[in-house]
Amino acid sequence: MAKFNMAKTKVPMPEQDPNERNKNFKEVTLGYSLEMAQEEATRCIQCKNRPCVSGCPVGVQIPEFIKLIVAGDLDSAYDKIAETNNLPAICGRVCPQENQCEGKCTRGIKDEPVSIGRLERFVADYRNNKDYHKPVEVASKNKKVAVVGAGPSGLSASADLAKLGYKVTLFDAFHAAGGVLMYGIPEFRLPKTLVQKELKNVIGLGVKLKTNTIVGRTLSLQDLFDEGYEAIYLSTGAGLPKFLNIPGENLNGVYSANEFLTRMNLMKAYKFPEYDTPVHVGKKVCVVGGGNVAMDAARSAKRLGADVTVVYRRSFEEMPARIEESHHAKEEGINFLNLHNPVEIEGENGWVKAVKVEKMELGEADSSGRRKPIPTGEYEEYEFDSVIIAIGQSPNPLIKQTNDDIETESWGGIIIDDTTMTTKDGVFAGGDAVSGAATVILAMGAGKKAAENIDKYLENK
Ligand SMILES: Cc1cc2nc3c(=O)[nH]c(=O)nc-3n(C[C@H](O)[C@H](O)[C@H](O)COP(=O)(O)OP(=O)(O)OC[C@H]3O[C@@H](n4cnc5c(N)ncnc54)[C@H](O)[C@@H]3O)c2cc1C
């Protein structure tokens, strides 16, 4: 084993120059070379208590895979990760590691933590580039399970159920599987070819994929039981956008971030007319919100050539977006109008013309621990050609609307018990549909847990 590298900071990740990347949709971060990965891997001191593992919702054996990178055995490093994580190239890119594995890293007490995410990405990319799939042994059980929603939660549940020997069919409403990984997170943060590669790995386990199928419309849950599925996992996500409910929200040129990003990512509007879905942003774009979705929308609009301003009612420091994302946005030339709240969208001939905003000031901390924005009664007006609203999403209500016996919280989250089962026998649920908008890895962790519970349920049935 090589000597530990006690450098205080992570090996930096090469990135496209901000003034180049804000004009293209290619990936912003470029990935480690083998030398960089090994240099970073030797920063892991292989501590005995391994707190990083408890910080990972899918329990990746982190010190073990890092040790294998140091030894230069990248295939074994990949196999070690893949024992518990079905989508490592995706997680290595989009997981908020600072709150999970890296947030618990022993090196992080005094210095920067080991860059676990970048190392996971490095190993996963190495293996995906080889296009080699290690055969996975699956026990055979003659039982069918339906998974509804092919986002990270449904993919993770499907893969684990297939490995347990179940005949899994994965249904999705869209024409392409992947959920937010395909329709929400932009190409420059998560290339779609890579999502498709990891999706192919899951399908390769024997999972049947049925797209263009809206469960609750095309098929009911009862239809699925009638077709011989003995358990159902609902992972339908949180795709219902919230709006501001202010005058002018129905004008042309106002989008929910959900619609805007779906057009951009899934329908490739940025390649119009090569792809047939256009998107109108105009010269000046207002993005309302301060989370990751707002940053993704703003950075996407910037790449279409617009001058983009993020309007958020609290300060820059209090924005809920990952620090990395808001800093990337700033570097790329996005303007920030903090401590301002839109009160009206003004129009001309049916199209957006301007946004009226009220100045805010910060009061006492609220239940989220952040200082509450307080209206001042002072108003300003800014001209914009389009407005993208990114103030949150809630679970899609369709399953509840079409199934009285599935109970939900008042805000729409599907209620589950300790075994992840909903109030309907044989129907399980997890991911954003249960928790509300959260993260890829938490959705995957929920899918894993549900697969274990479905197995127990069907074994006892
Ligand atoms: C723009 C954006 C950026 C994000 N960035 C990050 C990030 O950087 N890091 C991170 O960790 N998290 C991020 N998130 C959050 C993360 O993507 C979600 O928490 C995660 O995708 C939830 O996974 P899921 O499988 O529960 O749901 P989803 O990914 O939403 O997948 C749900 C799937 O169910 C399908 N569906 C819905 N209803 C039906 C139905 N009735 N019948 C059939 N299919 C149905 C949908 O078409 C969809 O494919 C982001 C979210 C957004 C919107």
Side-chain angles (χ1 to χ4, degrees), residues 94 149 151-153 172-174 179-180 189 213 215 236-237 296 432 438-440 443:
V94 303
S153 197
D172 201 277
F174 275 133
V180 171
R189 282 212 293 126
T213 309
V215 174
T236 46
D296 282 345
D432 279 9
T439 63
V440 169

Side-chain angles (χ1 to χ4, degrees), residues 93-96 148-155 171-174 176-181 183-186 189 213-217 233 235-239 257-258 261 265 292-294 296-297 322 325 393 396 398-399 430-444:
R93 284 168 168 83
V94 303
C95 271
V148 182
S153 197
L155 288 169
F171 297 90
D172 201 277
F174 275 133
V180 171
L181 307 173
Y183 77 73
I185 304 180
R189 282 212 293 126
T213 309
I214 306 177
V215 174
R217 289 270 183 273
Y233 178 58
S235 46
T236 46
N258 201 304
L261 289 170
N265 298 323
N292 290 320
V293 180
D296 282 345
R322 285 178 76 187
E325 298 308 323
Q393 303 97 239
N396 190 316
L398 182 62
I399 296 285
D432 279 9
V434 167
S435 61
T439 63
V440 169
I441 195 76
L442 286 173
M444 287 176 63

Side-chain angles (χ1 to χ4, degrees), residues 28-40:
V28 166
T29 49
L30 302 174
Y32 278 162
S33 62
L34 174 63
E35 294 68 35
M36 289 169 172
Q38 286 188 317
E39 188 184 338
E40 182 61 25

